[in-house]
Structures are given as C-alpha cells and as structure tokens.
Amino acid sequence: AQSVTQLDSQVPVFEEAPVELRCNYSSSVSVYLFWYVQYPNQGLQLLLKYLSGSTLVKSINGFEAEFNKSQTSFHLRKPSVHISDTAEYFCAVTFTGGGNKLTFGTGTQLKVEL
Amino acid sequence: EAGVAQSPRYKIIEKRQSVAFWCNPISGHATLYWYQQILGQGPKLLIQFQNNGVVDDSQLPKDRFSAERLKGVDSTLKIQPAKLEDSAVYLCASSPGGAGGATYEQYFGPGTRLTVT
C-alpha cells in the first residue's frame, strides 16, 4: 500500500524568503506524484506533477519539486514566496495500474507573513 | 471550460438526519471521485466511478453512505443517518481518462462543508 508523509503541518515564512515543503512517500511500485494547493474555502488545484522524464518539475507560478527515488521524496520549493502563496499544500501519490486512486498527505499550511 | 460543480456549498444537519450532495463533473470526463476531507487531514477517497460503474468503493462506509452516477454524468452522495464524525468537507473530482487511462490529473470542485450537530 502507498502512503504519503508531510512532516510539517505548518510552515511560517516571511515574504520574499525561500521555502521548502517536505513530502516523503512509501510504495513498492512505481509512482506518480502530485502537489495540490487549497486556498481557503476552495477546492484543490493541481500545482505540479511528476509522471515520468525529468525529475525536476515546475509550475507556472514559480514552484518546483524534484522527484528523488532513492530518498522517496518529492519536496516542493519556491525561491521567493509571496503573500498570495498562503494556502494549504497537499502532496499526493498514485501508482501505475492503481486506477488513478490518489493517496494524500495530511497537508502543510504555508503562512507567508510581511 | 466549466469546472466541477458541487451543491450545496454548506450544510448543517442534526445527527441521525439524512443529507445528499450533488456533483456535476467537467463535460466529457469519464471518471468521477468523491473524497472526504476531515479538518486537519488530507482528502480520503470514498468512491470512484468510471462512467456509471463503480471502480473502487472500498473506503465507503456502506452502512450509511451511498452514491450513484446515473447516465455516467452527474453524481449524488448520500449519508443516512448522519453521525457527528461525518462532519467534513466532501470533495468531488473528475478526470478525463478511464481508470487505467494515460492521464492522472484530477480536477476538484469547491466542496460541500457538512456540519453534523
């Protein structure tokens, strides 16, 4: 069975500072990895995904994540955050042949302060 | 294109009452999912449909929860009778591919926040 661990439940950071949100997964088979963002009172939006190919994937708003198979990690990074990045971020995994069933982590609340 | 629509957005009921949620997926999406998101936790899959057939309902509490997707388009999720621990946000999502399809991106609706008192 697959599982996802997000060790940090909350990450406070000042505006324009860098941030890293950690995600580790457990799976005995090949996986596909995702980061979703949830703004207050809204549904989840896909931020970026790793399916295959380059292990470094990027979003249109400056986030990036790197798939590290040896460390079973998919950490999310941004070199300079903005107030508007304040939201909850969920890491999720599915696996080949798994019927597209997503397993989510418990989420990390990113709070950007002035 | 229009996103995933859900209604109602909020619902407050007393325990032992029944409640129903509605979801209309993105047009043409074959697969529809219902998730339960309890405060402080990540979403948990309750049931997955491909067209109008159930692919996975292993985590659906079938003694009180039921779901259907007639005609392979919109879907309803029902709870009867509700318990206090059912208080959560119920998210609907859809994806274009089938259960074994090549695309894995799921598109989520805004959710229905259920409070059971």
Side-chain angles (χ1 to χ4, degrees), chain B residues 76-97:
Chain B
T76 56
L77 176 69
K78 297 179 181 178
I79 307 175
Q80 181 180 11
K83 293 184 176 182
L84 295 176
E85 58 261 36
D86 298 332
S87 293
V89 175
Y90 291 84
L91 295 166
C92 180
S94 68
S95 65

Side-chain angles (χ1 to χ4, degrees), chain B residues 1-79:
Chain B
E1 73 185 351
V4 177
Q6 289 188 248
S7 67
R9 290 295 310 276
Y10 305 91
K11 189 73 177 179
I12 301 174
I13 62 172
E14 296 181 350
K15 59 183 179 183
R16 291 187 290 273
Q17 287 186 323
S18 62
V19 65
F21 313 127
W22 175 81
C23 171
N24 187 253
I26 292 173
S27 178
H29 280 195
T31 310
L32 185 148
Y33 316 77
W34 282 103
Y35 290 85
Q36 179 191 57
Q37 185 178 14
I38 294 173
L39 186 64
Q41 300 181 20
K44 181 186 80 172
L45 180 69
L46 292 175
I47 189 167
Q48 177 181 350
F49 292 94
Q50 182 178 351
N51 298 311
N52 60 350
V54 176
V55 173
D56 185 346
D57 63 356
S58 57
Q59 298 195 81
L60 186 74
K62 298 180 185 63
D63 57 334
R64 297 183 301 105
F65 286 65
S66 65
E68 61 183 9
R69 190 184 184 197
L70 299 177
K71 300 180 182 179
V73 181
D74 54 356
S75 175
T76 56
L77 176 69
K78 297 179 181 178
I79 307 175

